Amino acid sequence: MRKYSVFALAREAMRAHTGWDRQWASPEPKADYDVIIVGGGGHGLATAYYLASQHGITNVAVLEKGWIGGGNTGRNTTIVRSNYLYDESAGLYDHSVKLWETLSQDINYNVMYSPRGVMMLAHNVHDVQVAKRHIHANRLNGVDNRWLTPEEAKDICPPLNISKTARYPVMGAAFQQRGGTARHDAVAWGYARAASDRGVHIIQNCAVTGVRRSGNGHVTGVETTRGFIGAKKVGVVAAGHTSVIMEMAGVRMPLESFPLQALVSEPVKPCFPCVVMSNTVHAYISQSDKGELVIGAGTDQYTSYSQTGGLHIINHTLDAICEMFPMFTRMKMLRSWGGIVDVTPDRSPILAKTPVPGLYVNCGWGTGGFKATPGSGHVFAHTIANDNPHPINAGFTLERFRSGRLIDEAAAAAVAH
Ligand code: FAD
Ligand code: PYC
C-alpha cells in the first residue's frame, strides 16, 4: 500500500480543492484554436469558461504572460456592487451581481462572495445630492440602494466616526446591501479550473508579442514567446496593457494606464462588518476573512506601467481612514502593492468588436472591473461566439469615442481617477 505523509495528504487535499497545481502545468499550445483569449485574469478566464459552458466552444486557449490572476485580478480590493448611475452601467454591473450570487455553485468553487453591504459616505451637500441621485436612478433600474442617516450608518458600521467636528463629517450614506466582497484569487482559480475541465487550454508564461492578419485583414493568430499560435478569433483582455496589444493589430485605443494601489493591515479579530467607501477623501475599507483591514487609495496622477504607486497617495489615504475610524489609528500595515488599470475617457469599459475582423476587445475597466468579472466574461463570450454584442454590452462600443455617445460614469468608481 502506498504511504502518504500528513504533509502529502494536506497537499493532495489542497490540490483537489483549489486546483493550484495547474498553475505550473500549462499544456503545450496547439497549432490552431477556434478562439484565443489574450490575458489570464478573471475576465479572460471567465470569458473562456462561458465560451465553453454557454456556447459549446471548447477549442479555446487562454494565453497569460505570467501566472493566472497575477495582474489586477489578484491585486484588487474585491469590492462588488452595482450602484452605477446610467442605465447601461446598471444593466452590466447588476447582471454581474446576479451571477456572483450563484457563482460558487455554478463553477463548483467557493469564491467567498459575501454580500455584506457597501456604504458610500456623503461628507458635504454635493455628496448628499449625488448619492441621492444615484439611489433614485438605481431604484428605477431595479438595483437596491437606500439612504442612511449618520446614526443609521453607525448602527450598521460601529467603528465609523460620526462626530460633527470631524474634518470630513458624515452627513449620511448610500447603502447597497447586495454589494460586498469576494475572494479574488479564488475567482481566477475557479474559472480556470471550470474552463480547463471543459477542455480549454490555459497556457501560462506565454506572452503575446504580435497579432498576425491575413491579406483581407482578418486575424489569423498571434505571435508569442512560445511561437506562432493560430486562431480564427482573438479576444484581448489584458487590463493595463490593452493598447500595447491592440497596437500590434494596428488599432489605436482611447486608453491611459495608471498605477492604483492598496494595502492591508495586520490581521485582527472581526470588527468591521461591511465595506465603506468615501469618494471625497479617496479611501475605502473592508475586512478580509483573514482579519486584515483591506484599504485602497486613489490612482497616481501620472500615467505609468509601474506596479507601485506614489507614497504620498497612500499616506493621504491612511490619514483619511484614521479620521473616519479613529480606533484604527494604532494599527500596523502588513503589506502594500499596486496594479495597472486602463482608463477610458468616459470611465466606462469597452466590450466590443473592433475594426479588425475576428478581433475583439474587453478593457477600460479602470479602477472598478473586479466586480464585473462574471458579467463581463458572460457577455464577452456571447460577443465573440456570435460576432455580435449581447444586448447588455451593446452600448460599450469602441465606436462611441468617435460618435460621442459616451457613458460618462466618472463619479461612479468612488476612488480618484
Ligand atoms: P487582469 O487581472 O489584470 O488580467 C490581465 C492579464 O493580462 C494579466 O494577468 C496580464 O499578465 C496579462 N497580459 C498582459 N499583457 C499580456 C501579453 N502581452 N500576453 C499575455 N498576457 C498578457 N475593481 C473592483 O470592482 N473592485 C475593487 O475593489 C477594485 N479594487 C482595485 C484595487 C487595486 C489596487 C487595483 C489595481 C484594481 C482594483 N480594481 C477593483 C480593478 C480590478 O482589479 C480590475 O478592473 C480587474 O481585476 C481587471 O481584470 P482583468 O481580468 O481584465 O485584468
Ligand atoms: O469600483 O468599487 C470599486 C472600487 C473600489 C476600489 C477600487 N474600485
Side-chain angles (χ1 to χ4, degrees):
M1 201 175 87
R2 200 162 159 200
K3 281 199 184 143
Y4 285 101
S5 68
V6 173
F7 177 72
L9 278 174
R11 198 178 52 207
E12 285 306 312
M14 273 281 284
R15 250 188 208 156
H17 180 66
T18 65
W20 61 268
D21 56 321
R22 293 183 205 197
Q23 294 198 31
W24 313 113
S26 301
E28 273 306 306
K30 293 198 290 190
D32 261 308
Y33 290 93
D34 289 334
V35 180
I36 281 179
I37 301 294
V38 182
H43 289 235
L45 294 162
T47 305
Y49 166 73
Y50 291 115
L51 277 169
S53 65
Q54 305 289 305
H55 304 281
I57 302 174
T58 55
N59 186 21
V60 176
V62 178
L63 307 184
E64 165 53 51
K65 75 172 175 188
W67 65 95
I68 58 167
N72 290 332
T73 297
R75 293 164 185 269
N76 71 80
T77 45
T78 80
I79 297 173
V80 173
R81 59 188 176 86
S82 59
N83 51 354
Y84 283 70
L85 185 61
Y86 291 110
D87 296 351
E88 291 94 336
S89 323
L92 177 58
Y93 290 98
D94 212 53
H95 177 55
S96 204
V97 168
K98 287 181 187 136
L99 290 172
W100 278 113
E101 284 161 359
T102 57
L103 186 60
S104 295
Q105 289 75 25
D106 294 344
I107 59 176
N108 189 25
Y109 200 104
N110 189 359
V111 298
M112 297 164 90
Y113 169 57
S114 162
R116 58 186 65 182
V118 172
M119 187 185 290
M120 290 183 152
L121 300 177
H123 300 282
N124 52 47
V125 174
H126 172 78
D127 284 355
V128 172
Q129 289 170 347
V130 169
K132 289 191 173 173
R133 184 178 175 210
H134 270 77
I135 291 171
H136 295 314
N138 288 163
R139 292 167 82 137
L140 285 171
N141 270 319
V143 174
D144 67 306
N145 203 351
R146 67 190 162 102
W147 178 251
L148 303 176
T149 63
E151 291 72 25
E152 288 168 336
K154 192 166 175 70
D155 273 352
I156 292 174
C157 185
L160 180 64
N161 176 15
I162 58 166
S163 160
K164 290 194 169 43
T165 60
R167 176 143 54 130
Y168 294 101
V170 174
M171 293 177 67
F175 188 65
Q176 184 181 23
Q177 180 64 70
R178 285 160 68 236
T181 55
R183 169 101 199 268
H184 47 16
D185 304 314
V187 175
W189 297 339
Y191 272 124
R193 190 177 73 174
S196 162
D197 286 348
R198 286 166 174 78
V200 170
H201 280 184
I202 293 160
I203 303 169
Q204 300 174 104
N205 297 316
C206 181
V208 168
T209 53
V211 177
R212 217 186 262 185
R213 299 168 61 181
S214 66
N216 65 10
H218 200 287
V219 160
T220 56
V222 291
E223 312 288 348
T224 79
T225 45
R226 293 168 72 167
F228 174 75
I229 308 177
K232 296 186 183 69
K233 296 180 176 180
V234 173
V236 176
V237 202
H241 297 88
T242 316
S243 313
V244 179
I245 295 163
M246 294 299 285
E247 201 175 359
M248 297 171 191
V251 181
R252 188 158 172 252
M253 296 298 290
L255 289 168
E256 287 184 312
S257 296
F258 293 92
L260 178 68
Q261 54 188 317
L263 65 114
V264 288
S265 72
E266 58 190 324
V268 287
K269 289 207 166 146
C271 60
F272 202 82
C274 60
V275 178
V276 177
M277 310 182 71
S278 166
N279 203 353
T280 295
V281 300
H282 294 149
Y284 52 96
I285 178 166
S286 64
Q287 188 172 21
S288 75
D289 292 329
K290 284 191 285 183
E292 299 160 345
L293 297 175
V294 182
I295 296 172
T299 53
D300 278 22
Q301 284 90 357
Y302 302 102
T303 53
S304 158
Y305 287 118
S306 154
Q307 282 183 321
T308 56
L311 190 59
H312 63 291
I313 295 203
I314 216 141
N315 279 341
H316 170 87
T317 297
L318 288 174
D319 286 348
I321 290 291
C322 292
E323 291 244 4
M324 291 190 292
F325 308 101
M327 73 182 236
F328 296 144
T329 310
R330 296 177 63 194
M331 284 186 68
K332 295 188 175 56
M333 186 180 88
L334 192 62
R335 60 181 186 278
S336 76
W337 65 90
I340 309 158
V341 298
D342 51 15
V343 176
T344 60
D346 66 358
R347 273 52 186 170
S348 288
I350 301 167
L351 267 165
K353 294 169 68 169
T354 71
V356 176
L359 184 67
Y360 306 83
V361 71
N362 176 339
C363 65
W365 294 97
T367 58
F370 174 69
K371 65 177 83 63
T373 307
S376 155
H378 187 258
V379 298
F380 196 49
H382 176 105
T383 306
I384 295 173
N386 297 289
D387 195 34
N388 247 324
H390 188 283
I392 291 177
N393 65 311
F396 294 91
T397 61
L398 189 51
E399 172 57 24
R400 74 181 189 271
F401 300 101
R402 221 179 281 283
S403 69
R405 207 207 166 293
L406 303 179
I407 306 168
D408 198 354
E409 288 283 0
V415 285
H417 281 295

